[in-house]
Amino acid sequence: MEGQNMKKERRVVVAVDESEESMYALSWCLRNLISQDTKSTLVLLYVKPPPPVYSPLDAAGYLFSNDVIAAMDKYGCEMVSSVMERADAVCRDFGIDIKVEKKVGTGEAKDVICGTVDKLGADILVMGSHGYGFLKRALLGSVSDHCAKNVKCPVVVVKRPKN
Amino acid sequence: MEGQNMKKERRVVVAVDESEESMYALSWCLRNLISQDTKSTLVLLYVKPPPPVYSPLDAAGYLFSNDVIAAMDKYGCEMVSSVMERADAVCRDFGIDIKVEKKVGTGEAKDVICGTVDKLGADILVMGSHGYGFLKRALLGSVSDHCAKNVKCPVVVVKRPKN
């Protein structure tokens, strides 16, 4: 059995998005997992949804004009910046001097998160729980459920308290 | 946003059973969540399965003689002692001086765990992942899935590495 003296540098991935739940999960992670352990690297992972359009050469390419595509791209980039800025603010609030890496993926959140966690050889994955109701969860499944089942490392699912 | 100075005494519940996964989850918890934080209380929770017999006054009471019931009770108690002793050994190995409470419940693991966590107002629940295959999980569901969805506090699902 491994003792605490063998504590090593850990790579903690936090999946962030525009939800309050994910920012709460990040602050929970800083308070409970990172804290004074400055040897850890915090990886902030944001997943952009897959582009909803086909290439202009595709049969369905007429759906959106280039202007619309450019506007959507711009919106996506602004969303990334906004989420990452909020995440930075949460980290600053804790005043801990840790290594922070930022990663942005594109695709289905559950697949990109699992893929990135495995590729990075992460030690812990932290996610917010959106706390969908029964029906929505039953129909859509849940990103955190999927990740808890499919990644190799421990997964923390953090719920935001109601009050 | 709450800073690390507000770190308070936490109550960390670890669900333990006779599996290697749960002992790994306990050692993960000590290494990653408790560590030097001696203000936390560690609650070891073991759930005995519900008794498979009816009372002797019940119509189905003939199924097991009193001797068999006594033997099963004894086996149950021995299992509790054995699991708690292993858990104690894991804690000792870390050489951390923390408060440890032991609780034993009886019933369906998922219900007893969720009920106990909420009743204790626990701050974190840590569980091993049994890593059933797809079919078994689809048929039986998973205790950790259920708990991650239903308790109010953050839940850590710890997988034991294969090597």
Side-chain angles (χ1 to χ4, degrees):
Chain A
M1 194 62 64
E2 195 177 337
Q4 63 163 320
N5 296 338
M6 294 185 64
K7 199 164 186 171
K8 65 172 178 69
E9 187 181 328
R10 293 175 311 174
R11 193 176 273 270
V12 181
V13 175
V14 181
V16 290
D17 59 23
E18 46 281 10
S19 70
E20 288 300 320
E21 283 78 9
S22 82
M23 289 302 142
Y24 182 82
L26 173 58
S27 75
W28 185 93
C29 169
L30 289 163
R31 190 164 54 248
N32 289 281
L33 281 172
I34 307 240
S35 187
Q36 289 109 0
D37 168 25
T38 52
K39 280 199 296 184
S40 291
T41 299
L42 177 67
V43 182
L44 301 173
L45 172 62
Y46 179 85
V47 184
K48 288 204 280 188
V53 291
Y54 297 94
S55 110
L57 294 172
D58 196 292
Y62 64 87
L63 272 174
F64 297 102
S65 73
N66 283 347
D67 285 358
V68 176
I69 295 173
M72 287 168 74
D73 275 354
K74 188 164 170 287
Y75 175 76
C77 294
E78 281 168 3
M79 185 59 94
V80 175
S81 310
S82 149
V83 169
M84 288 300 189
E85 270 167 31
R86 286 190 63 196
D88 272 339
V90 173
C91 293
R92 267 198 312 275
D93 260 11
F94 275 79
I96 316 172
D97 186 27
I98 42 159
K99 263 186 283 180
V100 179
E101 286 175 16
K102 289 170 189 167
K103 302 218 172 274
V104 179
T106 306
E108 282 299 326
K110 56 186 173 51
D111 300 327
V112 175
I113 294 171
C114 291
T116 308
V117 163
D118 284 347
K119 199 168 131 198
L120 292 175
D123 297 284
I124 307 169
L125 167 64
V126 181
M127 313 185 68
S129 160
H130 287 253
Y132 294 136
F134 172 74
L135 191 64
K136 197 162 176 191
R137 211 167 52 216
L139 291 172
L140 299 178
S142 140
V143 175
S144 53
D145 277 12
H146 180 91
C147 294
K149 280 188 196 112
N150 290 285
V151 302
K152 293 192 191 96
C153 69
V155 176
V156 189
V157 181
V158 182
K159 272 188 197 159
R160 196 164 67 111
K162 282 196 179 133
N163 44 7
Chain B
M1 193 61 66
E2 195 177 338
Q4 63 163 319
N5 297 337
M6 295 186 63
K7 199 162 186 176
K8 63 172 180 69
E9 186 182 329
R10 293 176 309 176
R11 193 176 273 270
V12 181
V13 175
V14 181
V16 290
D17 59 21
E18 45 280 12
S19 69
E20 288 301 322
E21 282 78 10
S22 82
M23 291 301 143
Y24 182 82
L26 173 59
S27 76
W28 185 93
C29 169
L30 290 162
R31 189 163 57 245
N32 289 281
L33 281 173
I34 308 240
S35 185
Q36 289 109 0
D37 169 24
T38 51
K39 281 198 296 184
S40 291
T41 300
L42 178 67
V43 181
L44 301 173
L45 173 62
Y46 179 86
V47 184
K48 288 203 280 189
V53 289
Y54 298 94
S55 107
L57 294 172
D58 193 295
Y62 64 86
L63 273 173
F64 296 102
S65 73
N66 284 345
D67 283 0
V68 175
I69 295 173
M72 286 167 74
D73 275 353
K74 186 162 173 289
Y75 174 76
C77 293
E78 281 168 2
M79 186 58 93
V80 175
S81 310
S82 148
V83 169
M84 289 300 187
E85 269 168 30
R86 285 189 63 196
D88 273 338
V90 172
C91 293
R92 266 200 311 276
D93 260 12
F94 274 79
I96 316 173
D97 185 26
I98 43 158
K99 263 186 285 181
V100 180
E101 286 175 15
K102 290 171 189 166
K103 301 217 174 277
V104 179
T106 307
E108 281 300 326
K110 58 186 171 52
D111 301 325
V112 175
I113 293 170
C114 290
T116 307
V117 164
D118 283 347
K119 199 168 131 197
L120 292 175
D123 298 284
I124 308 168
L125 167 64
V126 180
M127 312 183 67
S129 161
H130 287 253
Y132 294 135
F134 172 75
L135 191 62
K136 196 161 176 191
R137 212 167 50 216
L139 291 174
L140 300 178
S142 138
V143 175
S144 53
D145 277 11
H146 179 92
C147 294
K149 281 189 196 110
N150 289 286
V151 301
K152 293 193 191 95
C153 68
V155 176
V156 189
V157 180
V158 182
K159 271 186 198 159
R160 197 163 68 111
K162 284 197 177 131
N163 47 4

